[in-house]
Every structure is written in C-alpha cells, then in structure tokens.
Amino acid sequence: MFEEYRIIAPDTIGHPGLSDEARISAQDDSFAHWIADLLQHFGLEECAFIGPLYGGGIILRLAAYMPERIACAVLVNPAGIKTGPKMPMILKVLLPLLDFKLRASSRALRRVADALSSGSMNEEDRRIIGEIFRYVKLERNMPKIAEKEELEDYSAPTLILAGKRDIFFPGEEVVHRAREILPNLTSAHVYNCGHFPATEEKKKMNGDIRNFLSEFY
C-alpha cells in the first residue's frame, strides 16, 4: 500500500530479530541515540516514524530528547502514554502464560492469544507467539511513561491509533492522556480491537496512516 515511500523497518536492538542482543534502557535517552545512529547511517536528518506497541514508546523517547529528528509520527497502540490496570493483565495474560510455559498447554496459549487480540488472532500468529513465549526472553520493562514537560519542544504532527479493548494500553485512556501531553496531536482514532488488531482493523489503520502521511509528509 505504501509503494511511494522508502520504508526502513529495523529490528529493535535487544529484542527478537536479527539485531544486537544487548538491551538498552527505555527510561532515558538511550533509544533516542540509537535512532539517531540509524538516521545517520541512512543519511537522514529527519523522517516520518510509525511506532506500534513498544515502538511507540521508543518514538516518544526520541520526541523527548531529539524532537527535531521527527517530521511526523504515527503511534499505534503505543506504550509510553497510559497503561491499563494490572489485575486483568495478571489474570488474563500472565497466569495463562505461566501455565503455557510449564505445560505447553494449547488451551493456555489460546487464552493468552484471545486476551491479546480480543479473540481475533489466527492460527499462524498464535503459533508464532507460542514459539516466542517458549524460546525468547521477553522484555519485562515498558518504555517510560512520557510527561508533558519533557515533550514541550516536540511539535511534529502526531496521529494516535489505539484499540478500545487493548488490555495493556486501553485506547480511550491512551487518547485522553495523549491530548494532555502531546503539543500537536492532530488526530486520534480508537478501533474496536485488542492489543493485536484483526485484519479488518489493520486495513482501516492503513487507510488512516496513508491519509495522515499524505497530509503531513
């Protein structure tokens, strides 16, 4: 859908993928410097950013420390703005996940997948996250919750796309707080989906992203 753009999609350093295994802090300026290194490598002073989930929190770290590098930003079900209550996460994700790791229970994996996707995850994606849960040491610390004061110099147009039923980052609460802390939140959409959107929601998100980039990039 985005043939007219040059898309650079790096593996997050220290996370599953082909990047370096050394993890860096998402509480300070470490990720801002990591992104600056990537931009330097590709010869870019600034660019548009799209950050899903943890990646949204990384972009907010860049917005806090090097806002001039962001031409515009799309944050999709982003970390770093507002988190949901812990008890549903424990009951619906953590406990079934522990059950899956101990007994390789397909029923427990389905419970986790349903909690993450609001019941919409397909079989292949469920198999993949099962492999990740089984063999990868997951990041336990989320990016720092952004404060209004540290984003005062951030003025790039920003779009928030959030899931109403996201167990980690509830969409309506994320958007409400984003309006308080982001100086140039140009638009926000809350979809009826979970942390991992279903195919139809992804199509809607792609359309909203395309419209945003056409206007601001």
Side-chain angles (χ1 to χ4, degrees), residues 24 32 96 100 119 147 196 212:
I24 60 177
F100 171 70
E147 300 295 338
F196 293 129
F212 175 79

Side-chain angles (χ1 to χ4, degrees), residues 139-155:
E139 177 64 77
R140 296 182 180 180
N141 298 315
M142 287 292 104
K144 177 182 180 294
I145 297 296
E147 300 295 338
K148 181 177 181 178
E149 294 73 19
E150 63 181 347
L151 297 175
E152 287 179 347
D153 294 329
Y154 173 63
S155 60

Side-chain angles (χ1 to χ4, degrees), residues 107-119:
R107 182 169 176 239
L109 178 60
R110 182 177 292 275
R111 288 176 61 196
V112 177
D114 286 347
L116 295 177
S117 67
S118 194

Side-chain angles (χ1 to χ4, degrees), residues 1-7 206-207 209-215 217:
M1 287 185 64
F2 297 95
E3 295 85 0
E4 64 269 36
Y5 297 101
R6 180 191 185 192
I7 298 176
N206 282 341
I209 293 171
R210 177 185 286 277
N211 292 337
F212 175 79
L213 292 178
S214 297
E215 183 175 355
Y217 194 58

Side-chain angles (χ1 to χ4, degrees), residues 6-10 35-45 47:
R6 180 191 185 192
I7 298 176
I8 301 168
I35 296 175
D37 287 344
L38 291 174
L39 293 178
Q40 181 178 357
H41 174 79
F42 289 105
L44 299 170
E45 287 299 319
C47 70

